[in-house]
Amino acid sequence: MIYTVTFNPSLDYIVSVENFQLGLTNRTSSELMLLGGKGVNVSTVLMNLGIENTALGFAAGFVGDEIVRQMEEMGVQNGFIRIEEGVSRINLKLKSIDGTEINGQGPVISPEHVEELMKQLDRLGEGDVLFLSGSIPSSMPDDAYQKIMERLDGRGVQIVVDATKDLLLNVLEYHPFLIKPNNHELGELFGVELKTREEVIPYAKKLQEKGAVNVLVSMAGEGAVLIDANEDVYMAPTPKGTLVNGVGAGDSMVAGFMAGWLEKQDYEHAFCMGVSAGSASAFSEHLATKAEIEAVYQQVTGNK
């Protein structure tokens, strides 16, 4: 089974406001309400590819009810833990004002809720896949990823970690199956600026030396690089298309990679699927559909 974890899911209210003016009543010219949260995005793309999965995490209040309702409507199995106090986040994203966002805090997650999640994860074993994505809410201990991976260590679970800075570095000793920093995050870890695909390779290998099995580096307009478990290097330029919405592209990339890996157990295919899914979502208002991913995949593999 495939599981995703979203500690702090959200509804993202995406609006455009023409000629926004502070201190006055402004009216939207377009509105969109989408599910948010990195693990939720991964679950969505997996379902779009026809891959069943279970979404774990925490949901509170009427917003949490709506998140769960939409996930179940999509076909994702609901493993969210209900929090009785507080409300899950609504994030306001002002498209027309240079990507301005106002993100909510979400509910307080108690140690008891965290332990309930840990007990859910105790059921995972050989052949299961777990996605750990995004930041950790301030009400949770900042070593939550470490604790999860320590608890699952040696059980044969393939764990994907999409996180930054210490959240990422501190889990490498537990040999995550896949990590996906972008080139800026990778450079920040080592105090360097990485602009080209070739420059990324030695630093991605350093993360592999620290314990990661596969290192996938996304580079926006520069494409992507994979150092696989066999230390083979794959590189691809960005597919041709018009950037519409970069939100969720990285989540789509890890979902596409694992979908490709589970399909053929072939790293080149997995890499091409990851690049295709990430790009297809970036070229779409919503997260990519299977048809959109397949169309980009033809372009990606045709370039090789």
Side-chain angles (χ1 to χ4, degrees), residues 83-128:
I83 295 181
E84 295 307 321
E85 294 184 7
V87 178
S88 293
R89 299 184 297 164
I90 295 178
N91 296 332
L92 175 64
K93 304 190 183 281
L94 295 164
K95 268 180 77 175
S96 51
I97 312 177
D98 195 25
T100 302
E101 301 183 7
I102 303 172
N103 287 352
Q105 290 185 356
V108 172
I109 300 165
S110 70
E112 290 75 24
H113 293 130
V114 174
E115 184 56 31
E116 195 174 341
L117 174 65
M118 291 294 192
K119 287 177 180 175
Q120 285 181 321
L121 294 172
D122 282 342
R123 298 197 291 266
L124 274 64
E126 188 74 36
D128 289 330

Side-chain angles (χ1 to χ4, degrees), residues 1 3 120-130 152 154-158:
M1 189 63 194
Y3 300 84
Q120 285 181 321
L121 294 172
D122 282 342
R123 298 197 291 266
L124 274 64
E126 188 74 36
D128 289 330
V129 176
L130 175 66
L152 294 177
R155 292 202 200 171
V157 181
Q158 292 183 323

Side-chain angles (χ1 to χ4, degrees), residues 38-163:
K38 294 178 73 63
V40 168
N41 291 341
V42 171
S43 280
T44 301
V45 175
L46 289 172
M47 282 308 305
N48 288 352
L49 287 167
I51 299 172
E52 291 188 359
N53 66 92
T54 298
L56 306 176
F58 305 101
F62 73 99
V63 178
D65 292 342
E66 179 62 13
I67 292 168
V68 169
R69 186 193 71 77
Q70 289 194 35
M71 296 288 281
E72 290 182 332
E73 193 174 75
M74 229 187 297
V76 177
Q77 295 185 39
N78 171 34
F80 279 102
I81 294 164
R82 183 75 195 173
I83 295 181
E84 295 307 321
E85 294 184 7
V87 178
S88 293
R89 299 184 297 164
I90 295 178
N91 296 332
L92 175 64
K93 304 190 183 281
L94 295 164
K95 268 180 77 175
S96 51
I97 312 177
D98 195 25
T100 302
E101 301 183 7
I102 303 172
N103 287 352
Q105 290 185 356
V108 172
I109 300 165
S110 70
E112 290 75 24
H113 293 130
V114 174
E115 184 56 31
E116 195 174 341
L117 174 65
M118 291 294 192
K119 287 177 180 175
Q120 285 181 321
L121 294 172
D122 282 342
R123 298 197 291 266
L124 274 64
E126 188 74 36
D128 289 330
V129 176
L130 175 66
F131 289 83
L132 298 175
S133 308
S135 59
I136 294 173
S138 58
S139 59
M140 285 182 63
D142 57 12
D143 63 351
Y145 281 3
Q146 284 170 268
K147 294 295 186 187
I148 289 171
M149 295 191 69
E150 182 181 16
R151 200 149 169 161
L152 294 177
D153 194 30
R155 292 202 200 171
V157 181
Q158 292 183 323
I159 302 179
V160 179
V161 179
D162 185 4

Side-chain angles (χ1 to χ4, degrees), residues 108-251:
V108 172
I109 300 165
S110 70
E112 290 75 24
H113 293 130
V114 174
E115 184 56 31
E116 195 174 341
L117 174 65
M118 291 294 192
K119 287 177 180 175
Q120 285 181 321
L121 294 172
D122 282 342
R123 298 197 291 266
L124 274 64
E126 188 74 36
D128 289 330
V129 176
L130 175 66
F131 289 83
L132 298 175
S133 308
S135 59
I136 294 173
S138 58
S139 59
M140 285 182 63
D142 57 12
D143 63 351
Y145 281 3
Q146 284 170 268
K147 294 295 186 187
I148 289 171
M149 295 191 69
E150 182 181 16
R151 200 149 169 161
L152 294 177
D153 194 30
R155 292 202 200 171
V157 181
Q158 292 183 323
I159 302 179
V160 179
V161 179
D162 185 4
T164 60
K165 298 181 181 176
D166 287 347
L167 275 183
L168 178 60
L169 287 176
N170 292 340
V171 301
L172 296 180
E173 65 179 293
Y174 300 107
H175 308 293
F177 180 75
L178 177 69
I179 61 172
K180 193 215 67 64
N182 64 38
N183 57 308
H184 302 298
E185 292 162 350
L186 180 60
E188 191 177 3
L189 291 175
F190 295 101
V192 295
E193 188 175 8
L194 303 173
K195 294 183 177 179
T196 68
R197 293 190 291 274
E198 290 75 13
E199 288 173 343
V200 156
I201 294 169
Y203 294 97
K205 286 183 174 179
K206 286 178 185 289
L207 294 185
Q208 204 170 44
E209 290 164 8
K210 290 178 181 290
V213 178
N214 297 285
V215 183
L216 177 62
V217 183
S218 58
M219 301 185 68
E222 288 299 311
V225 175
L226 170 69
I227 315 293
D228 75 10
N230 306 312
E231 299 185 24
D232 292 330
V233 178
Y234 299 92
M235 294 190 287
T238 301
K240 290 177 181 168
T242 302
L243 176 63
V244 175
N245 179 18
V247 176
D251 309 321

Side-chain angles (χ1 to χ4, degrees), residues 276-289:
S276 301
S279 298
S281 282
F283 299 158
S284 173
E285 189 74 52
H286 302 269
L287 294 171
T289 63

